Amino acid sequence: ATSSAASAGAFENTEAANSANTLTTWTAGTGWALEAGSTAADPKAGQFTGDVEISGDLNVDGVASGFFPRPAYDSGWFALPNSGTRPTLWHNLGDSVDNYVVDFQCKAGGLGINNVMIGYQEQYDLTEWHGAYYYGLTTAYINTYREPNDNMCPQARVRIWVYE
């Protein structure tokens, strides 16, 4: 690979078909293998274009705006009928359900996205049941349900994150 200093303090890889790392640095001591910083009034210590792969922990000191993991599964909004049917959503994520974080949301006309009546509740005379929920989470699917008299969750969305 051919590398050159494009400007003071810059390092540029000009090899178009580079199959090796452009910059590799290791340390066996207690210091950083690579440190970048800026003393400018509006400091920017680094910028990445493309995917960034991190093996190990990521520690952020300061605001991490726009930094939120995408779910491993997102059902998108789906109609959740209150006819007693129990829609099963197939996510096929594997791993262990103990490592899942599940987000179950409802959407209804005037309420927008909500969590009103998530779970279920009987009406005063025990004849009407309201609410929606998920149950039976496995490594392959999740079941959803909406009570027959519910008017708060005509649409639902399930998102699942997996962590180690």
Side-chain angles (χ1 to χ4, degrees), residues 81-84 119-121 128-133 145-151:
N82 58 354
S83 61
Y120 66 93
Q121 176 181 357
E128 291 187 18
W129 295 83
H130 298 268
Y133 51 88
Y145 182 72
R146 180 176 172 210
E147 293 292 341
N149 297 303
D150 177 74
N151 60 357

Side-chain angles (χ1 to χ4, degrees), residues 100-104 134 137 142 158-161:
Y100 289 5
V101 175
V102 178
D103 176 34
F104 179 82
Y134 73 88
L137 175 65
I142 185 171
V158 173
R159 295 181 292 185
I160 302 173
W161 286 263

Side-chain angles (χ1 to χ4, degrees), residues 34-155:
L34 178 64
E35 181 177 4
S38 175
T39 58
D42 183 18
K44 292 176 176 54
Q47 176 180 333
F48 299 92
T49 302
D51 294 339
V52 176
E53 183 176 322
I54 298 172
S55 297
D57 294 336
L58 173 64
N59 298 310
V60 177
D61 183 16
V63 177
S65 62
F67 188 90
F68 194 77
R70 293 185 181 121
Y73 172 79
D74 187 339
S75 69
W77 291 105
F78 63 95
L80 187 55
N82 58 354
S83 61
T85 61
R86 302 174 187 276
T88 297
L89 306 174
W90 293 87
H91 57 75
N92 295 311
L93 292 175
D95 199 11
S96 168
V97 296
D98 289 335
N99 295 338
Y100 289 5
V101 175
V102 178
D103 176 34
F104 179 82
Q105 297 179 330
C106 293
K107 187 194 275 188
L111 293 173
I113 298 173
N114 70 83
N115 69 352
V116 176
M117 303 300 280
I118 290 186
Y120 66 93
Q121 176 181 357
E122 74 241 333
Q123 199 61 17
Y124 310 108
D125 59 4
L126 300 177
T127 60
E128 291 187 18
W129 295 83
H130 298 268
Y133 51 88
Y134 73 88
Y135 67 97
L137 175 65
T138 73
T139 59
Y141 63 85
I142 185 171
N143 293 306
T144 60
Y145 182 72
R146 180 176 172 210
E147 293 292 341
N149 297 303
D150 177 74
N151 60 357
M152 305 292 187
C153 195
Q155 293 183 53

Side-chain angles (χ1 to χ4, degrees), residues 17-38:
N18 184 23
S19 62
N21 296 337
T22 300
L23 177 62
T24 301
T25 178
W26 298 91
T27 183
T30 58
W32 300 98
L34 178 64
E35 181 177 4
S38 175

